[in-house]
Amino acid sequence: MRAARLIKMVLLLQSRPAMTAAELAHELEVSERTVTRDAQALSEAGVPVYADRGRAGGYRLVGGYRTRLTGLHRGEAEALFLSGVPGALREMGLEDAASAAQLKVSAALLPSLRDASRTAAQRFHLDAPNWFKEPRTPALLPAVADAVWDDRRVVARYRRGEDEVVRELEPYGLVLKAGVWYLCARVAGNGAFRVYRIDRFTAVDPGGERFEREPEFALPAFWEERAEQFARSILRARVVVRLSPDGVRALPYALDSLSAREALADADEPDGDGWVTVALPVESEEVAHTQLTALGAEVEVLAPEGLRERFAADALRLAGLYHPESGA
């Protein structure tokens, strides 16, 4: 346990010019006194850890010290090579850089671990695009990716409905969702964060000045919050249905799973036949008709009346198609 902590301490100090005892204690989840003892142990072992005294002091490594990757076990080495997404790197124009980095990491590993990239690739593959959709790489993605890496403002022209809009953006991060690339960016001037589909950009000028990132911004947390907001914002209508036990189990796969589970949690107890009455948030009656049709006879629409009439008409048509005397 202590050996792993000492290695992590060295790697932290390699990645930054200096760190205070409080910063190291937070990262390592130990007390500042433990940090002091660990620094002394490293120094005695030959690792040149230097402690600067005073209010602005801290710990740093002397003389450009670097450790080789000899402390990794096989599981850690294989996980390291799973961190890249080959298709996404290729689309962003970073495939060559990623390949060079993997070669350097492989060369630094112990000889017994240098096949880690091959063994990981044999066992795991991320296929990001959605089913039944031809993946298309936005032509402007590499330019946007360069601006993200370089913290450089861009002037972007993009389609919004029938119009084109021009915005100066501070590009914070890229997200690949079901084969579609999105840019999370702050609008220069007003500080508001927005999400843009990159395939709707018609022009990008990446020649702007560098911007200062907000240090507290976390891309995964931002994306999770905005994705949930979007999913809820489009659920503007409500329908009431009865579901059989099989329908209850299938509902989260037919509709937005989070909203479906929340609605089921608020539902009344099942009736004598095991059917449950549920009020569901949906995008529209038309969308609800398409989604609930997948449940077949395991759902009965109670309201609104217009949607119930649609399902009644569907039932009549199906009965006509499959009735033995229909002539079909």
Side-chain angles (χ1 to χ4, degrees):
M1 185 70 177
R2 190 190 186 198
R5 189 175 71 241
L6 292 175
I7 292 172
K8 184 176 181 180
M9 184 175 180
V10 173
L11 294 175
L12 285 169
L13 292 174
Q14 281 186 190
S15 65
R16 308 179 195 180
M19 294 183 71
T20 66
E23 290 171 337
L24 284 167
H26 175 73
E27 292 284 351
L28 299 172
E29 299 180 349
V30 295
S31 68
E32 292 186 30
R33 180 172 294 181
T34 299
V35 168
T36 301
R37 288 198 297 264
D38 286 353
Q40 183 177 354
L42 286 171
S43 180
E44 292 173 355
V47 179
V49 178
Y50 181 78
D52 290 315
R53 306 298 179 184
R55 296 181 60 185
Y59 293 92
R60 59 187 176 87
L61 292 175
V62 180
Y65 177 85
R66 287 292 183 269
T67 181
R68 292 176 61 82
L69 298 178
T70 55
L72 296 177
H73 59 66
R74 174 161 291 277
E76 292 171 335
E78 290 175 343
L80 180 66
F81 286 101
L82 286 175
S83 61
V85 185
L89 292 170
R90 182 172 56 252
E91 291 179 7
M92 289 188 292
L94 299 174
E95 185 177 28
D96 291 342
S99 177
Q102 286 196 353
L103 286 173
K104 290 177 181 179
V105 171
S106 295
L109 289 171
L110 290 171
S112 61
L113 299 178
R114 287 176 186 169
D115 65 338
S117 61
R118 179 179 58 82
T119 57
Q122 286 175 337
R123 289 164 174 80
F124 298 99
H125 173 67
L126 175 62
D127 184 10
N130 207 344
W131 287 103
F132 313 120
K133 290 185 179 180
E134 184 69 25
R136 295 182 179 178
T137 303
L140 296 173
L141 176 61
V144 176
D146 285 345
V148 169
W149 282 113
D150 208 24
D151 292 341
R152 192 173 294 280
R153 288 191 179 96
V154 300
V155 177
R157 181 184 296 273
Y158 69 97
R159 297 188 303 274
R160 190 169 69 181
E162 300 295 325
D163 302 321
E164 282 197 351
V165 181
V166 177
R167 291 285 185 273
E168 185 178 10
L169 303 175
E170 296 175 353
Y172 266 65
L174 292 168
V175 175
L176 177 61
K177 170 71 171 178
V180 179
W181 284 95
Y182 296 88
L183 172 67
C184 303
R186 184 169 59 182
V187 180
N190 68 11
F193 282 91
R194 298 284 187 268
V195 177
Y196 302 88
R197 279 186 59 146
I198 295 182
D199 58 7
R200 293 180 182 168
F201 285 175
T202 59
V204 172
D205 180 3
E209 297 179 350
R210 293 177 183 270
F211 65 91
E212 190 73 24
R213 280 177 168 263
E214 289 189 11
E216 301 302 319
F217 179 85
L219 181 60
F222 172 80
W223 177 258
E224 182 178 3
E225 178 186 351
R226 289 304 173 94
E228 183 175 342
Q229 289 177 359
F230 173 77
R232 293 184 182 279
S233 70
I234 63 174
L235 303 179
R236 302 186 182 94
R238 188 168 295 272
V239 302
V240 181
V241 300
R242 288 179 70 241
L243 294 164
S244 71
D246 286 342
V248 169
R249 286 189 287 270
L251 185 67
Y253 302 98
L255 279 70
D256 172 69
S257 60
L258 178 61
S259 299
R261 290 190 171 90
E262 289 180 350
L264 289 170
D266 293 336
D268 295 332
E269 292 296 318
D271 61 20
D273 297 323
W275 286 61
V276 177
T277 299
V278 184
L280 296 171
V282 295
E283 186 173 347
S284 64
E285 285 190 30
E286 290 76 11
V287 173
H289 176 246
T290 300
Q291 293 173 328
L292 293 173
T293 295
L295 300 181
E298 308 305 324
V299 61
E300 177 191 0
V301 175
L302 302 179
E305 187 61 31
L307 184 59
R308 181 176 173 86
E309 291 174 355
R310 287 193 185 200
F311 276 89
D314 290 346
L316 287 174
R317 289 181 61 199
L318 287 170
L321 286 173
Y322 291 101
H323 193 278
E325 299 178 0
S326 67

Coordinates of all heavy atoms in Angstrom, one line a residue, residues 55-139:
R55 N 6.1 29.9 3.5 CA 4.7 29.9 3.1 C 4.4 29.5 1.7 O 3.4 28.9 1.3 CB 4.0 31.3 3.3 CG 4.1 31.7 4.8 CD 3.4 33.1 5.0 NE 2.0 33.1 4.5 CZ 1.2 34.1 4.5 NH1 1.8 35.3 4.9 NH2 0.0 34.1 4.1
A56 N 5.4 29.9 0.8 CA 5.2 29.5 -0.7 C 6.0 28.2 -1.0 O 6.2 27.9 -2.2 CB 5.7 30.7 -1.5
G57 N 6.4 27.5 0.0 CA 7.2 26.3 -0.2 C 6.4 25.1 -0.7 O 5.2 25.2 -0.8
G58 N 7.1 24.0 -0.8 CA 6.5 22.8 -1.2 C 7.5 21.8 -1.6 O 8.7 21.9 -1.3
Y59 N 7.1 20.7 -2.3 CA 8.0 19.7 -2.7 C 8.1 19.7 -4.2 O 7.2 20.0 -4.9 CB 7.4 18.3 -2.2 CG 7.4 18.1 -0.7 CD1 6.2 18.5 0.0 CD2 8.5 17.6 -0.1 CE1 6.2 18.3 1.4 CE2 8.4 17.5 1.3 CZ 7.3 17.8 2.0 OH 7.3 17.7 3.4
R60 N 9.4 19.4 -4.6 CA 9.6 19.3 -6.1 C 10.7 18.3 -6.3 O 11.5 17.9 -5.4 CB 10.0 20.6 -6.7 CG 11.2 21.3 -6.1 CD 11.4 22.7 -6.6 NE 12.5 23.3 -5.9 CZ 13.8 23.3 -6.4 NH1 14.1 22.5 -7.4 NH2 14.8 23.9 -5.7
L61 N 10.9 17.8 -7.6 CA 12.0 16.9 -7.9 C 13.1 17.7 -8.5 O 12.9 18.7 -9.3 CB 11.5 15.9 -9.0 CG 10.5 14.9 -8.5 CD1 10.0 14.0 -9.6 CD2 11.1 14.0 -7.3
V62 N 14.3 17.4 -8.2 CA 15.5 18.1 -8.6 C 16.1 17.5 -9.8 O 16.1 16.3 -10.0 CB 16.5 18.2 -7.4 CG1 17.8 19.0 -7.8 CG2 15.9 18.8 -6.2
G63 N 16.6 18.4 -10.7 CA 17.5 17.9 -11.8 C 16.7 17.2 -12.9 O 17.3 16.3 -13.5
G64 N 15.5 17.5 -13.1 CA 14.7 16.8 -14.2 C 14.6 15.4 -14.0 O 14.5 14.6 -15.0
Y65 N 14.5 14.9 -12.7 CA 14.4 13.5 -12.5 C 13.1 12.9 -13.1 O 12.1 13.5 -13.1 CB 14.4 13.2 -10.9 CG 14.2 11.8 -10.6 CD1 15.3 10.9 -10.5 CD2 12.9 11.3 -10.3 CE1 15.1 9.6 -10.1 CE2 12.7 10.0 -9.9 CZ 13.8 9.1 -9.8 OH 13.7 7.8 -9.5
R66 N 13.3 11.7 -13.7 CA 12.2 11.0 -14.3 C 12.3 9.5 -13.9 O 13.4 8.9 -13.9 CB 12.1 11.1 -15.8 CG 11.7 12.5 -16.3 CD 10.2 12.7 -16.0 NE 9.8 14.0 -16.5 CZ 9.8 15.1 -15.8 NH1 10.3 15.1 -14.6 NH2 9.3 16.2 -16.3
T67 N 11.1 8.9 -13.6 CA 11.1 7.5 -13.3 C 10.6 6.7 -14.6 O 9.8 7.2 -15.3 CB 10.2 7.1 -12.1 OG1 10.3 5.7 -11.9 CG2 8.8 7.5 -12.4
R68 N 11.2 5.6 -14.8 CA 10.7 4.7 -15.9 C 9.5 3.9 -15.4 O 9.2 3.8 -14.2 CB 11.8 3.7 -16.3 CG 13.0 4.4 -17.0 CD 14.1 3.4 -17.3 NE 13.6 2.4 -18.2 CZ 13.6 2.5 -19.5 NH1 13.9 3.6 -20.1 NH2 13.2 1.5 -20.3
L69 N 8.7 3.4 -16.4 CA 7.5 2.7 -16.0 C 7.7 1.3 -15.6 O 7.4 0.3 -16.3 CB 6.5 2.8 -17.2 CG 6.1 4.2 -17.7 CD1 5.2 4.1 -18.9 CD2 5.4 4.9 -16.5
T70 N 8.4 1.2 -14.5 CA 8.8 -0.2 -14.0 C 7.8 -0.6 -12.9 O 8.0 -1.8 -12.4 CB 10.2 -0.2 -13.5 OG1 10.4 0.8 -12.5 CG2 11.2 0.0 -14.7
G71 N 7.0 0.2 -12.4 CA 6.1 -0.1 -11.3 C 4.7 -0.6 -11.7 O 3.9 -0.9 -10.8
L72 N 4.5 -0.7 -13.0 CA 3.1 -1.2 -13.5 C 3.1 -2.7 -13.4 O 4.0 -3.4 -13.8 CB 2.9 -0.7 -14.9 CG 2.8 0.8 -15.1 CD1 2.6 1.1 -16.6 CD2 1.6 1.4 -14.3
H73 N 1.9 -3.2 -13.0 CA 1.7 -4.6 -13.2 C 0.8 -4.8 -14.5 O 0.4 -3.8 -15.1 CB 1.0 -5.3 -12.0 CG -0.3 -4.7 -11.6 ND1 -1.5 -4.8 -12.4 CD2 -0.7 -4.0 -10.5 CE1 -2.5 -4.2 -11.8 NE2 -2.1 -3.7 -10.7
R74 N 0.6 -6.1 -14.9 CA 0.0 -6.3 -16.2 C -1.4 -5.7 -16.4 O -1.7 -5.1 -17.4 CB -0.1 -7.8 -16.5 CG -0.8 -8.1 -17.8 CD -0.5 -9.5 -18.3 NE 0.9 -9.6 -18.7 CZ 1.3 -9.2 -19.9 NH1 0.4 -8.7 -20.8 NH2 2.5 -9.3 -20.3
G75 N -2.2 -5.8 -15.4 CA -3.5 -5.2 -15.5 C -3.5 -3.7 -15.7 O -4.2 -3.1 -16.5
E76 N -2.6 -3.0 -15.0 CA -2.5 -1.5 -15.2 C -1.9 -1.2 -16.6 O -2.4 -0.3 -17.2 CB -1.5 -1.0 -14.1 CG -2.1 -1.1 -12.7 CD -1.1 -0.7 -11.6 OE1 0.2 -0.9 -11.9 OE2 -1.5 -0.3 -10.6
A77 N -1.0 -2.0 -17.0 CA -0.4 -1.7 -18.4 C -1.4 -1.9 -19.5 O -1.6 -1.1 -20.4 CB 0.8 -2.6 -18.6
E78 N -2.2 -3.0 -19.3 CA -3.3 -3.2 -20.4 C -4.4 -2.2 -20.3 O -4.9 -1.7 -21.3 CB -3.9 -4.6 -20.1 CG -2.9 -5.7 -20.5 CD -3.4 -7.1 -20.2 OE1 -4.4 -7.2 -19.4 OE2 -2.8 -8.1 -20.7
A79 N -4.7 -1.7 -19.1 CA -5.7 -0.7 -19.0 C -5.3 0.6 -19.6 O -6.0 1.4 -20.2 CB -6.1 -0.4 -17.5
L80 N -3.9 0.9 -19.5 CA -3.4 2.1 -20.1 C -3.7 2.2 -21.6 O -4.0 3.2 -22.1 CB -1.9 2.1 -19.8 CG -1.1 3.3 -20.4 CD1 -1.5 4.6 -19.7 CD2 0.4 3.1 -20.2
F81 N -3.6 1.0 -22.3 CA -3.8 1.0 -23.7 C -5.2 1.0 -24.1 O -5.6 1.1 -25.3 CB -3.0 -0.2 -24.3 CG -1.5 0.0 -24.4 CD1 -0.7 -0.6 -23.4 CD2 -0.9 0.8 -25.3 CE1 0.7 -0.4 -23.4 CE2 0.4 1.0 -25.3 CZ 1.2 0.4 -24.4
L82 N -6.1 0.8 -23.1 CA -7.6 0.9 -23.4 C -8.0 2.4 -23.3 O -9.2 2.7 -23.7 CB -8.4 0.1 -22.4 CG -8.3 -1.4 -22.6 CD1 -9.0 -2.1 -21.4 CD2 -8.9 -1.8 -23.9
S83 N -7.2 3.3 -22.9 CA -7.6 4.7 -22.7 C -7.9 5.4 -24.0 O -8.5 6.5 -24.0 CB -6.6 5.4 -21.8 OG -5.4 5.5 -22.5
G84 N -7.3 5.0 -25.1 CA -7.5 5.7 -26.3 C -8.7 5.1 -27.1 O -9.1 3.9 -27.0
V85 N -9.3 5.9 -28.0 CA -10.4 5.5 -28.8 C -9.9 5.7 -30.3 O -9.9 6.8 -30.8 CB -11.7 6.3 -28.6 CG1 -12.8 5.8 -29.4 CG2 -12.0 6.3 -27.1
P86 N -9.4 4.6 -30.9 CA -8.8 4.7 -32.2 C -9.6 5.5 -33.2 O -9.0 6.4 -33.9 CB -8.5 3.3 -32.6 CG -8.5 2.5 -31.4 CD -9.5 3.2 -30.5
G87 N -10.8 5.2 -33.4 CA -11.6 5.8 -34.4 C -11.8 7.3 -34.1 O -11.6 8.2 -35.0
A88 N -12.0 7.7 -32.9 CA -12.1 9.1 -32.5 C -10.8 9.8 -32.7 O -10.8 11.0 -33.2 CB -12.6 9.2 -31.0
L89 N -9.7 9.2 -32.3 CA -8.4 9.9 -32.5 C -8.1 10.1 -34.0 O -7.6 11.1 -34.4 CB -7.3 9.0 -31.9 CG -7.3 8.9 -30.4 CD1 -6.3 7.8 -30.0 CD2 -6.9 10.2 -29.8
R90 N -8.5 9.1 -34.8 CA -8.3 9.3 -36.3 C -9.2 10.5 -36.8 O -8.7 11.3 -37.6 CB -8.7 8.0 -37.0 CG -8.5 8.0 -38.5 CD -8.7 6.7 -39.1 NE -10.0 6.1 -38.8 CZ -10.3 5.1 -38.0 NH1 -9.3 4.5 -37.3 NH2 -11.5 4.7 -37.8
E91 N -10.4 10.6 -36.3 CA -11.3 11.6 -36.8 C -10.8 13.0 -36.4 O -11.0 14.0 -37.1 CB -12.7 11.4 -36.4 CG -13.4 10.2 -37.0 CD -14.8 9.9 -36.5 OE1 -15.3 10.8 -35.7 OE2 -15.4 8.9 -36.8
M92 N -10.2 13.1 -35.2 CA -9.6 14.4 -34.8 C -8.3 14.7 -35.3 O -7.7 15.8 -35.0 CB -9.6 14.4 -33.2 CG -10.9 14.4 -32.5 SD -10.8 14.7 -30.7 CE -10.1 13.1 -30.2
G93 N -7.7 13.8 -36.1 CA -6.4 14.0 -36.7 C -5.3 13.8 -35.8 O -4.1 14.3 -35.9
L94 N -5.5 12.9 -34.7 CA -4.5 12.7 -33.7 C -4.0 11.2 -33.8 O -3.3 10.8 -32.8 CB -5.1 12.9 -32.3 CG -5.6 14.3 -32.1 CD1 -6.3 14.4 -30.7 CD2 -4.4 15.3 -32.1
E95 N -4.3 10.5 -34.8 CA -3.9 9.1 -34.9 C -2.4 8.9 -34.8 O -1.8 8.1 -34.1 CB -4.4 8.4 -36.2 CG -4.2 6.9 -36.2 CD -4.8 6.3 -37.5 OE1 -5.0 7.1 -38.5 OE2 -5.1 5.1 -37.4
D96 N -1.6 9.7 -35.6 CA -0.2 9.6 -35.6 C 0.4 9.9 -34.2 O 1.4 9.3 -33.8 CB 0.4 10.5 -36.7 CG 0.1 10.1 -38.1 OD1 -0.3 8.9 -38.2 OD2 0.2 10.9 -39.0
A97 N -0.1 11.0 -33.6 CA 0.4 11.4 -32.3 C 0.2 10.2 -31.2 O 1.0 9.9 -30.4 CB -0.2 12.7 -31.8
A98 N -1.0 9.7 -31.3 CA -1.4 8.6 -30.4 C -0.5 7.4 -30.6 O -0.1 6.7 -29.7 CB -2.8 8.2 -30.5
S99 N -0.2 7.1 -31.9 CA 0.6 5.9 -32.2 C 2.0 6.1 -31.7 O 2.6 5.2 -31.1 CB 0.6 5.7 -33.7 OG 1.5 4.6 -34.1
A100 N 2.6 7.3 -31.9 CA 3.9 7.6 -31.4 C 3.9 7.5 -29.9 O 4.9 7.0 -29.3 CB 4.3 9.0 -31.8
A101 N 2.9 8.0 -29.2 CA 2.9 8.0 -27.7 C 2.8 6.5 -27.2 O 3.5 6.2 -26.3 CB 1.7 8.7 -27.2
Q102 N 2.1 5.7 -27.9 CA 2.0 4.3 -27.5 C 3.3 3.6 -27.7 O 3.7 2.8 -26.8 CB 0.9 3.5 -28.3 CG -0.5 3.9 -27.9 CD -1.5 2.9 -28.4 OE1 -1.2 2.0 -29.2 NE2 -2.7 3.0 -28.0
L103 N 4.0 3.9 -28.8 CA 5.4 3.3 -28.9 C 6.3 3.7 -27.8 O 7.1 2.9 -27.3 CB 5.9 3.7 -30.3 CG 5.3 3.1 -31.5 CD1 5.8 3.7 -32.8 CD2 5.6 1.6 -31.5
K104 N 6.3 5.0 -27.4 CA 7.1 5.5 -26.4 C 6.8 4.8 -25.0 O 7.7 4.4 -24.2 CB 7.0 7.0 -26.2 CG 7.6 7.7 -27.4 CD 7.5 9.2 -27.3 CE 8.1 9.9 -28.5 NZ 7.9 11.4 -28.5
V105 N 5.5 4.7 -24.8 CA 5.1 4.0 -23.5 C 5.5 2.5 -23.5 O 6.0 2.0 -22.6 CB 3.6 4.1 -23.3 CG1 3.1 3.2 -22.2 CG2 3.2 5.5 -23.1
S106 N 5.3 1.9 -24.7 CA 5.8 0.5 -24.8 C 7.3 0.3 -24.6 O 7.7 -0.6 -23.9 CB 5.4 -0.1 -26.2 OG 4.0 -0.1 -26.4
A107 N 8.0 1.3 -25.1 CA 9.5 1.2 -24.9 C 9.9 1.4 -23.5 O 10.9 0.8 -23.0 CB 10.2 2.2 -25.8
A108 N 9.1 2.1 -22.7 CA 9.5 2.4 -21.3 C 9.0 1.3 -20.4 O 9.5 1.2 -19.2 CB 8.8 3.7 -20.9
L109 N 8.1 0.4 -20.9 CA 7.6 -0.7 -20.0 C 8.7 -1.8 -19.8 O 9.6 -1.9 -20.7 CB 6.4 -1.3 -20.6 CG 5.1 -0.5 -20.5 CD1 4.0 -1.1 -21.4 CD2 4.6 -0.3 -19.1
L110 N 8.5 -2.6 -18.8 CA 9.4 -3.7 -18.6 C 9.2 -4.7 -19.8 O 8.1 -4.7 -20.4 CB 9.0 -4.5 -17.3 CG 9.4 -3.8 -16.0 CD1 8.8 -4.5 -14.9 CD2 10.9 -3.7 -15.9
P111 N 10.2 -5.4 -20.2 CA 10.1 -6.4 -21.4 C 8.9 -7.3 -21.2 O 8.2 -7.6 -22.2 CB 11.4 -7.1 -21.4 CG 12.4 -6.1 -20.8 CD 11.6 -5.4 -19.7
S112 N 8.6 -7.7 -20.0 CA 7.5 -8.7 -19.8 C 6.1 -8.1 -20.1 O 5.1 -8.8 -20.2 CB 7.6 -9.3 -18.4 OG 7.4 -8.2 -17.5
L113 N 6.0 -6.8 -20.2 CA 4.7 -6.1 -20.3 C 4.5 -5.4 -21.7 O 3.5 -4.8 -21.9 CB 4.6 -5.0 -19.2 CG 4.6 -5.5 -17.8 CD1 4.5 -4.3 -16.8 CD2 3.5 -6.5 -17.5
R114 N 5.5 -5.6 -22.6 CA 5.5 -4.9 -23.8 C 4.4 -5.4 -24.8 O 4.2 -4.8 -25.8 CB 6.9 -4.8 -24.5 CG 7.8 -3.9 -23.7 CD 9.2 -3.9 -24.2 NE 10.0 -3.0 -23.3 CZ 11.3 -3.0 -23.4 NH1 12.0 -3.8 -24.3 NH2 12.0 -2.2 -22.6
D115 N 3.8 -6.5 -24.5 CA 2.7 -7.0 -25.4 C 1.4 -6.5 -24.8 O 0.3 -7.0 -25.3 CB 2.8 -8.5 -25.4 CG 2.5 -9.2 -24.1 OD1 2.6 -8.5 -23.0 OD2 2.0 -10.4 -24.1
A116 N 1.4 -5.6 -23.9 CA 0.1 -5.2 -23.2 C -0.8 -4.6 -24.3 O -2.1 -4.7 -24.2 CB 0.4 -4.2 -22.1
S117 N -0.3 -3.8 -25.2 CA -1.2 -3.1 -26.2 C -1.8 -4.2 -27.1 O -3.0 -4.0 -27.4 CB -0.3 -2.2 -27.1 OG 0.7 -2.9 -27.8
R118 N -1.1 -5.2 -27.4 CA -1.7 -6.3 -28.3 C -2.8 -7.1 -27.5 O -3.9 -7.3 -28.0 CB -0.6 -7.2 -28.8 CG -1.2 -8.3 -29.7 CD 0.0 -9.2 -30.2 NE 0.7 -9.8 -29.1 CZ 0.4 -10.9 -28.4 NH1 -0.8 -11.5 -28.7 NH2 1.1 -11.3 -27.4
T119 N -2.5 -7.4 -26.3 CA -3.5 -8.2 -25.5 C -4.7 -7.4 -25.2 O -5.8 -8.0 -25.2 CB -2.8 -8.8 -24.2 OG1 -2.4 -7.6 -23.4 CG2 -1.7 -9.7 -24.5
A120 N -4.6 -6.1 -24.9 CA -5.8 -5.3 -24.7 C -6.6 -5.2 -25.9 O -7.8 -5.3 -25.9 CB -5.3 -3.9 -24.2
A121 N -6.0 -4.9 -27.1 CA -6.7 -4.8 -28.3 C -7.4 -6.0 -28.8 O -8.4 -6.0 -29.5 CB -5.8 -4.3 -29.4
Q122 N -6.9 -7.2 -28.4 CA -7.5 -8.5 -28.7 C -8.8 -8.7 -27.9 O -9.7 -9.5 -28.4 CB -6.6 -9.6 -28.4 CG -5.4 -9.8 -29.4 CD -4.5 -10.9 -29.0 OE1 -4.4 -11.2 -27.8 NE2 -3.7 -11.4 -29.9
R123 N -9.0 -8.0 -26.8 CA -10.1 -8.3 -25.9 C -11.1 -7.2 -25.8 O -12.3 -7.5 -25.4 CB -9.5 -8.6 -24.5 CG -8.8 -9.9 -24.4 CD -7.9 -10.0 -23.2 NE -7.3 -11.3 -23.0 CZ -6.2 -11.7 -23.7 NH1 -5.6 -10.9 -24.5 NH2 -5.8 -12.9 -23.5
F124 N -10.8 -6.0 -26.2 CA -11.8 -4.9 -26.0 C -11.7 -4.0 -27.2 O -10.7 -3.6 -27.7 CB -11.5 -4.1 -24.8 CG -11.6 -4.9 -23.5 CD1 -10.5 -5.4 -22.9 CD2 -12.8 -5.1 -22.9 CE1 -10.5 -6.1 -21.7 CE2 -12.9 -5.9 -21.8 CZ -11.8 -6.4 -21.2
H125 N -12.9 -3.5 -27.7 CA -13.0 -2.6 -28.8 C -14.2 -1.7 -28.5 O -15.3 -2.2 -28.2 CB -13.2 -3.3 -30.1 CG -13.4 -2.4 -31.3 ND1 -12.5 -1.5 -31.7 CD2 -14.5 -2.3 -32.0 CE1 -13.0 -0.9 -32.7 NE2 -14.3 -1.3 -32.9
L126 N -14.1 -0.4 -28.7 CA -15.2 0.5 -28.6 C -15.7 0.9 -29.9 O -15.0 1.4 -30.8 CB -14.7 1.8 -27.8 CG -15.8 2.9 -27.7 CD1 -17.0 2.4 -26.9 CD2 -15.2 4.1 -27.1
D127 N -17.0 0.6 -30.2 CA -17.7 0.9 -31.4 C -18.6 2.0 -31.1 O -19.8 1.8 -30.7 CB -18.4 -0.3 -32.0 CG -19.0 0.0 -33.4 OD1 -18.7 1.0 -33.9 OD2 -19.8 -0.9 -33.8
A128 N -18.2 3.3 -31.3 CA -19.0 4.4 -30.8 C -20.2 4.7 -31.7 O -21.2 5.1 -31.1 CB -18.1 5.7 -30.8
P129 N -20.2 4.6 -33.0 CA -21.4 5.0 -33.8 C -22.6 4.2 -33.5 O -22.5 3.0 -33.1 CB -20.9 4.8 -35.3 CG -19.4 4.9 -35.2 CD -19.1 4.3 -33.9
N130 N -23.8 4.8 -33.7 CA -25.0 4.0 -33.4 C -25.3 3.0 -34.5 O -24.7 3.1 -35.6 CB -26.2 5.1 -33.4 CG -27.3 4.6 -32.5 OD1 -27.4 3.4 -32.2 ND2 -28.2 5.5 -32.2
W131 N -26.2 2.0 -34.2 CA -26.5 1.0 -35.2 C -27.3 1.7 -36.4 O -28.0 2.6 -36.2 CB -27.4 0.0 -34.6 CG -26.7 -1.0 -33.7 CD1 -26.7 -1.0 -32.3 CD2 -25.8 -2.1 -34.0 NE1 -25.9 -2.0 -31.8 CE2 -25.4 -2.7 -32.8 CE3 -25.4 -2.6 -35.3 CZ2 -24.5 -3.8 -32.8 CZ3 -24.6 -3.7 -35.2 CH2 -24.1 -4.3 -34.1
F132 N -27.2 1.1 -37.5 CA -28.0 1.5 -38.7 C -27.8 2.9 -39.2 O -28.6 3.5 -39.8 CB -29.4 1.2 -38.5 CG -29.7 -0.2 -37.9 CD1 -30.3 -0.3 -36.6 CD2 -29.3 -1.3 -38.5 CE1 -30.6 -1.5 -36.1 CE2 -29.5 -2.6 -37.9 CZ -30.2 -2.7 -36.7
K133 N -26.7 3.5 -38.8 CA -26.4 4.9 -39.2 C -25.0 4.9 -39.8 O -24.0 4.4 -39.2 CB -26.5 5.9 -38.1 CG -27.9 6.1 -37.6 CD -28.0 7.2 -36.5 CE -29.4 7.4 -36.1 NZ -29.5 8.5 -35.0
E134 N -24.8 5.5 -41.0 CA -23.5 5.6 -41.6 C -22.7 6.7 -40.9 O -23.1 7.9 -40.9 CB -23.7 6.0 -43.1 CG -22.4 6.0 -43.8 CD -21.7 4.6 -44.0 OE1 -22.5 3.6 -44.0 OE2 -20.5 4.6 -44.2
P135 N -21.6 6.4 -40.2 CA -20.9 7.4 -39.5 C -20.2 8.4 -40.5 O -19.6 8.0 -41.5 CB -19.8 6.6 -38.7 CG -19.6 5.3 -39.5 CD -21.0 5.0 -40.1
R136 N -20.3 9.6 -40.2 CA -19.8 10.7 -41.0 C -18.9 11.6 -40.1 O -19.4 12.1 -39.1 CB -20.8 11.5 -41.7 CG -21.7 10.7 -42.7 CD -22.7 11.6 -43.3 NE -23.5 10.8 -44.3 CZ -24.5 11.4 -45.0 NH1 -24.9 12.6 -44.9 NH2 -25.2 10.6 -45.9
T137 N -17.7 11.8 -40.5 CA -16.8 12.7 -39.8 C -16.9 14.1 -40.2 O -16.8 14.4 -41.4 CB -15.3 12.2 -40.0 OG1 -15.2 10.9 -39.6 CG2 -14.4 13.1 -39.2
P138 N -17.3 15.0 -39.4 CA -17.4 16.4 -39.8 C -16.1 17.0 -40.3 O -15.0 16.7 -39.7 CB -17.8 17.1 -38.5 CG -18.4 16.1 -37.6 CD -17.6 14.8 -37.9
A139 N -16.2 17.6 -41.4 CA -14.9 18.1 -42.1 C -14.2 19.1 -41.2 O -12.9 19.1 -41.3 CB -15.3 18.8 -43.4

